[in-house]
Amino acid sequence: MAKANSDVGRKGKISARWIILALLALVVLAGAYLFFTYGSLPAAVITAKNLNSTTLVSIMAQKVNSTALVNLSYSGSILVNNTDPLVSFFYNKNGSQSWSELRLTEMPNVGDIEAKTYLNQTSGKGVGCVVYNFTGPNATQKCENSAYPYSVYTNILGYLFDLSSIGNVSTVSYGLQSVSGQPCYSVSGSGTVMVNEGLFNKTGYAPARFTFNTCLSAKYNVPLNVEVHAVLNNGDSISFDVQNYGMIWSGS
């Protein structure tokens, strides 16, 4: 009987070992499939030594910069002070030329505001414009020539946050998910930022803690959705919920 029990114990250990090896093999094969099918994600996220906001932007930009034709469209809303302003973002690239547009509609104490950019990467020349009240008859546009026209986004987003104050950012990756049938890699994190209290009928900027969650397309590296929630020390809060609703990629 002792020998029989010993044989059963050995067989149980052998079976468990093979199950573990089989699971490891599946994980390796799944990772290899994702890498060779979709490219740098999720491999680039998984292998990043310091997964921070700079690393994420670099990873996302690689695919866009190496592709000849790119069209991206996002839309969503911002929940602030019992209002629900709309936000939209468009990016178009054709060869060395790119155009983008960021719109905030019905912002408290601001109204409708838009940023537009054009950049020619070959010549290094670009134009950035801010348009106030872009939906009304009294629209006002201010443009500047610049090698980095995207700085106009700082002007618009300054009505929400002081971007230069973003700090203490930490990120965590969670693994593969799916958004609208597209495989993506979930990344979340937190940080600190100064929020414009004009959104709450006050003056100045106040410190806030924010959390975010996004899922980066495993094929294209760009976000399929972005959620951000910031809470001020006094309990006021602002939230973003933006979704991708269109992507076109062609050439490399």
Side-chain angles (χ1 to χ4, degrees), residues 7 15 23 29 60 80 118 129 132 144 149 160-161 163 167 180 186 199 208 213 220:
D7 290 341
S15 298
L23 290 174
L29 289 173
M60 290 186 285
V80 54
Y118 164 74
C129 299
Y132 300 90
E144 292 184 1
L160 305 173
F161 307 109
L163 298 182
S180 301
S186 178
L199 298 169
N213 183 64
Y220 300 115

Side-chain angles (χ1 to χ4, degrees), residues 77-133:
S77 62
I78 308 170
L79 182 62
V80 54
N81 199 24
N82 297 319
T83 63
D84 196 17
L86 302 179
V87 56
S88 62
F89 176 74
F90 307 96
Y91 176 85
N92 300 286
K93 178 191 175 189
N94 192 338
S96 64
Q97 301 183 82
S98 64
W99 301 261
S100 66
E101 176 185 279
L102 173 64
R103 286 184 168 186
L104 301 179
T105 308
E106 300 179 358
M107 283 293 298
N109 304 318
V110 178
D112 302 330
I113 186 170
E114 173 187 54
K116 300 186 294 183
T117 71
Y118 164 74
L119 176 65
N120 187 311
Q121 294 177 335
T122 301
S123 66
K125 296 181 179 179
V127 178
C129 299
V130 176
V131 186
Y132 300 90
N133 300 315

Side-chain angles (χ1 to χ4, degrees), residues 160-162 193-197 199-200 204-208 230 232 238:
L160 305 173
F161 307 109
D162 176 4
V193 68
M194 300 295 287
V195 174
N196 185 356
E197 289 206 288
L199 298 169
F200 310 99
Y205 286 79
L232 285 70
I238 176 173

